[in-house]
Amino acid sequence: MIRLLLVTTCLLLSGYAAAQSEVAAKAAASAMPEITIYHLEGRRSERIVWLMEELNAPYKLVFERGDLAGSMANIRAVNPDVPMAPTVTIGNLVLVESGAIIEVLLNRYAPDKLQPALDTADYANHLMWMHFAEGSLAARLFSDYRAWRIDPPTERSRFVDSEATVQYAENYLAKHPWFGGAEFSSADIMMMFPLNVATGLNIVDEAQFPNVAAWKKKAGARPAYQRMLAKARPDGMIGNLPKLPKHAPAGPRT
Ligand SMILES: N[C@@H](CCC(=O)N[C@@H](CS)C(=O)NCC(=O)O)C(=O)O
C-alpha cells in the first residue's frame, strides 16, 4: 500500500516536472531578443524578412531604399570582415549565412514552427533542401552564370550543373507539395531565392520546370511573402544582374 502510494506520488511528481519543463521550454522559446536584419533589396536577406513575417515576430529592417551601395555600407559598418546580405543581429550576436540564421531563430525561439518534427519522415528531406538551396543549387547557378558570361558553353557539362539541380527540385515537387514535405517549412523559404535566380537570369528555361513554376506561385501568394515584398522590396527588383542571352544548350551531357 505504502509502495503504491509512493509510486503514485512519483508519477504525479514526474508528470508535474515534465509539465513544468515544458512551460520553461515555452517561456525560453518565446524570449526572442531584438532582431535586426541588414538587408539588400531583392537579395537573400529577404529570406529572414519572410521568416519573421511567417512567425509574426517583431524585427528591425535596415536598408537604404533604392540604394544597394548605401545598404551595403550599413552592412559593412556592422560586419566589416564579410559584408554580406543577410547580416543579422540577434541580441549581441552578429550572424551571416541565411540557413544558419534561420536554424538559430527557429531552434532557439520557435522550435515548433516551420520545420517538421525530428521524428517525422519529412524532417530529413526538409533539412536536405534547407542545405541544398545554398550548398548545391545557388553554388552551381552562380558558377554556371559566371562561366557563361566569360565564355558561353556549346554543350552541357557532364557534371551536375544548374539544370540538373533544378530538375532535382522539379522531380521532388512532382511528389510533394512543399520542400518541407507535407507542410510549408523554412526549406521553402531557402529555395525561393535560387529558384528565382535560375529562371530570372535565364540560367535555365522556366518552361521546362512546371512544378517549380507552380510552387513559386503558391509560395509567393502566402500573405507573409506578400508582406515581405511590401516591406523589403517596395520598388520591385533593383540593380538586376544581366540576364543570359539564352539558357545552356539542352540535350545529353557529354
Ligand atoms: N550563403 C550566403 C550567401 C550570402 C550572399 O552572398 N549574399 C549576397 C547577396 S544575395 C551578397 O551579400 N553579395 C555581396 C558580395 O558577395 O559582395 C547566404 O545564404 O546567406
Side-chain angles (χ1 to χ4, degrees):
M1 182 63 192
I2 289 180
R3 183 176 288 172
L4 185 66
L5 208 68
L6 274 175
V7 170
T8 315
T9 315
C10 280
L11 282 176
L12 282 174
L13 280 177
S14 71
Y16 175 76
Q20 282 302 97
S21 75
E22 204 175 305
V23 170
K26 287 231 163 94
S30 65
M32 195 186 278
E34 192 171 277
I35 309 293
T36 303
I37 304 169
Y38 292 88
H39 172 55
L40 289 182
E41 285 157 277
R43 304 318 197 260
R44 287 171 173 91
S45 37
E46 288 188 351
R47 288 170 169 156
I48 316 302
V49 182
W50 186 6
L51 177 90
M52 298 305 278
E53 290 294 334
E54 291 282 352
L55 293 175
N56 274 313
Y59 61 93
K60 196 168 147 205
L61 184 59
V62 178
F63 70 103
E64 305 298 324
R65 187 166 173 172
D67 176 8
L68 292 176
S71 297
M72 208 29 141
N74 291 332
I75 295 177
R76 199 167 281 112
V78 281
N79 188 14
D81 291 342
V82 272
M84 293 197 306
T87 289
V88 169
T89 58
I90 304 176
N92 295 327
L93 190 63
V94 181
L95 284 184
V96 289
E97 280 307 325
S98 43
I101 294 164
I102 288 174
E103 289 193 46
V104 170
L105 289 172
L106 289 181
N107 291 338
R108 280 200 175 155
Y109 309 112
D112 50 354
K113 303 233 173 85
L114 296 178
Q115 42 188 359
L118 258 178
D119 57 357
T120 60
D122 280 340
Y123 176 76
N125 282 327
H126 152 85
L127 196 59
M128 184 197 71
W129 291 112
M130 280 290 295
H131 291 272
F132 190 87
E134 284 296 311
S136 294
L137 180 53
R140 279 164 173 78
L141 288 170
F142 283 111
S143 88
D144 285 354
Y145 176 81
R146 284 178 178 148
W148 179 288
R149 298 261 297 151
I150 295 164
D151 188 9
T154 53
E155 58 189 26
R156 296 278 306 280
S157 162
R158 79 183 93 121
F159 299 115
V160 173
D161 63 356
S162 293
E163 206 151 292
T165 51
V166 179
Q167 187 65 52
Y168 188 45
E170 174 75 7
N171 297 348
Y172 182 82
L173 290 175
K175 300 192 196 106
H176 306 270
W178 300 104
F179 286 108
E183 305 282 338
F184 175 84
S185 81
S186 54
D188 296 283
I189 294 179
M190 284 299 292
M191 287 294 285
M192 186 65 114
F193 175 83
L195 287 175
N196 277 339
V197 164
T199 51
L201 297 185
N202 209 19
I203 302 169
V204 302
D205 177 7
E206 179 143 48
Q208 286 178 33
F209 305 104
N211 296 329
V212 168
W215 166 85
K216 270 190 204 172
K217 210 166 159 201
K218 182 171 64 171
R222 291 177 70 81
Y225 187 83
Q226 290 296 317
R227 290 199 296 277
M228 177 283 286
L229 285 184
K231 291 177 187 172
R233 212 197 288 177
D235 307 309
M237 276 302 284
I238 60 165
N240 274 346
L241 290 170
K243 278 183 178 217
L244 296 181
K246 57 183 177 144
H247 55 86
R253 295 186 180 83
T254 52

